[in-house]
Structure formats: structure tokens, C-alpha cells
Amino acid sequence: RDAQRKRVLVVRAVGGPAQGPLAHGDRRRLPRAGRRFRPRARSWLSVDLDPDYPGIDEVMDVTALTLPDSSFDLVLCSHVLDVVEGHDEAVRELHRVTRLGGTTLIQAPRRGASTSPGAYAVRLRAAGFHVEQVILPEQTDEATRRRLGLDAGDPIFSCRR
């Protein structure tokens, strides 16, 4: 529903071989979201560092997006910031390309991280976002959680600009 009639940016950045959950997951599963939501969006751009990544439209580095300021209503950034070098630069770039009143949804597992979700939210706020931590109903249902690859305890950060 959030993608309907909006300008959507999907950021995917594996960051190199065998790094992070995307490198180990089923990479064929991810473009399904694009097939499902892309037709509903006013515009859709999927970016990744890897030119061979399935379903991407352009090769781009999340720490230096070659996109105009305030150009997207909705930015989806799932399992990117936990593997990319230059985390704070990447968050500033996500903030820059999100329009005023727009939303960036960040899913960044804390596995192995030394910060709590609250501390991570403070870090996202430092870039200028208004942050809400959300546990989706889909995260509480075991079968749905497994099918969607969600973690029951890690919130999704809804970041409004």
C-alpha cells in the first residue's frame, strides 16, 4: 500500500562477497517485491553496487547516490546499512534523497552489534530523520516471518523526513 503512486527508491548493497545477510540469502527471492510493488508506484528505481544483482536498474553506491535531492517519497533500505562501509554517510544520503514528508524504511539487523535499537535510532536521528521503531504483525507470526525473512526481535526503523 505504501508504494502506491509514489516515487520509490530501493537500495540494495551487498558490499562484496560473503558479507551480510544478502550475500548468504536467496538472491532470486528479492526481485519478487519489485514485481509486486513496481507496477503500483509512480516511479521505481532499484540500485546496488553489484551490476549482476537481480532486479537492479542502476549501479550506485549508497554512500554517494547520484540522484537529485528530495527525489523519492519512499526509500526501502533492507539489510544494507549493516554491511556497508560508511554507515553515517549512507544514512545522510538516504535522508538527502527522501523528500520532505517522505519515509525511509530501514531494516538493519543488530546481530553482533553493540548498540540497542534505541541507540541505533539516535544514530538515524542524527542525520535529520524522525524515527519510529516498528515491529510488524508479520514479525510475530512464525510462518510469515520465515517466509518474508524477518527477525522477530529487530525493529524496522520508519524514518520520516
Side-chain angles (χ1 to χ4, degrees), residues 9-15 22 27-35 37-38 44-51 53-62 65 75-81 83-84 94:
L9 172 65
V10 180
V11 179
R12 298 175 175 143
V14 176
L22 289 182
R27 292 169 57 122
R28 294 168 298 159
R29 181 173 65 156
L30 294 168
R32 244 189 300 171
R35 287 193 303 271
F37 295 112
R38 183 182 288 228
W44 180 282
L45 177 65
S46 181
V47 301
D48 193 319
L49 284 173
D50 182 353
Y53 198 89
I56 69 156
D57 300 308
E58 292 186 33
V59 174
M60 217 173 283
D61 182 347
V62 69
L65 296 169
V75 177
L76 306 174
C77 183
S78 179
H79 300 298
V80 173
L81 298 177
V83 296
V84 71
L94 296 175

Side-chain angles (χ1 to χ4, degrees), residues 98-156:
T98 304
R99 73 161 176 83
L100 289 174
T103 301
T104 295
L105 297 175
I106 297 173
Q107 185 178 14
R110 296 178 295 108
R111 288 181 209 98
S114 60
T115 61
S116 68
Y120 190 69
V122 168
R123 196 170 177 185
L124 297 173
R125 285 185 190 103
F129 282 118
H130 301 279
V131 181
E132 180 183 354
Q133 297 175 53
V134 179
I135 298 291
L136 300 174
E138 293 85 353
Q139 288 175 270
T140 61
D141 177 71
E142 179 72 21
T144 304
R145 187 169 51 80
R146 284 187 177 186
R147 182 173 52 82
L148 296 175
L150 298 172
D151 189 299
D154 288 334
I156 292 175

Side-chain angles (χ1 to χ4, degrees), residues 63-100:
T63 64
L65 296 169
T66 54
L67 299 166
D69 294 353
S70 302
S71 52
F72 293 92
D73 302 300
L74 178 62
V75 177
L76 306 174
C77 183
S78 179
H79 300 298
V80 173
L81 298 177
D82 48 340
V83 296
V84 71
E85 289 186 36
H87 175 280
D88 295 334
E89 292 85 358
V91 173
R92 283 192 293 274
E93 280 294 277
L94 296 175
H95 182 269
R96 181 184 66 77
V97 301
T98 304
R99 73 161 176 83
L100 289 174

